[in-house]
């Protein structure tokens, strides 16, 4: 019984902290943490590369 409580508690804490982190990044953006001026110029290429890698992974690697 103790193992189940530890598992549920750790899963809940991880989920809540991940959600909180994503909301804070969405609210304040990456620019508050990192200097993104040089990266902003290439955001179209970066997003296209991410979508391509995910698509290749799903089709050919079974992700």
């Amino acid at each position: 019984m103790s193992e189940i409580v530890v598992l549920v508690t750790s899963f809940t804490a991880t989920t809540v902290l991940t959600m909180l982190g994503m909301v804070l990044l969405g609210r304040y953006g990456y620019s508050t943490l990192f200097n993104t001026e040089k990266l902003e110029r290439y955001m179209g290429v970066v997003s296209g590369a991410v979508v391509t890698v995910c698509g290749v992974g799903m089709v050919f690697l079974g992700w």
Side-chain angles (χ1 to χ4, degrees), residues 2-34:
S2 169
E3 297 88 9
I4 294 174
V5 172
V6 170
L7 179 67
V8 169
T9 303
S10 63
F11 177 77
T12 302
T14 303
T15 302
V16 169
L17 290 175
T18 301
M19 290 172 60
L20 180 63
M22 291 295 107
V23 169
L24 289 175
L25 280 176
R27 173 67 174 99
Y28 296 110
Y30 286 108
S31 61
T32 58
L33 300 174
F34 306 106

Side-chain angles (χ1 to χ4, degrees), residues 48-62:
V50 169
V51 169
T52 301
V53 169
C54 290
V56 167
M58 285 186 241
V59 171
F60 297 110
L61 301 175

Side-chain angles (χ1 to χ4, degrees), residues 32-56:
T32 58
L33 300 174
F34 306 106
N35 184 10
T36 59
E37 291 176 10
K38 293 179 182 176
L39 184 63
E40 287 175 2
R41 180 176 179 185
Y42 302 104
M43 286 311 291
V45 175
V46 170
S47 61
V50 169
V51 169
T52 301
V53 169
C54 290
V56 167

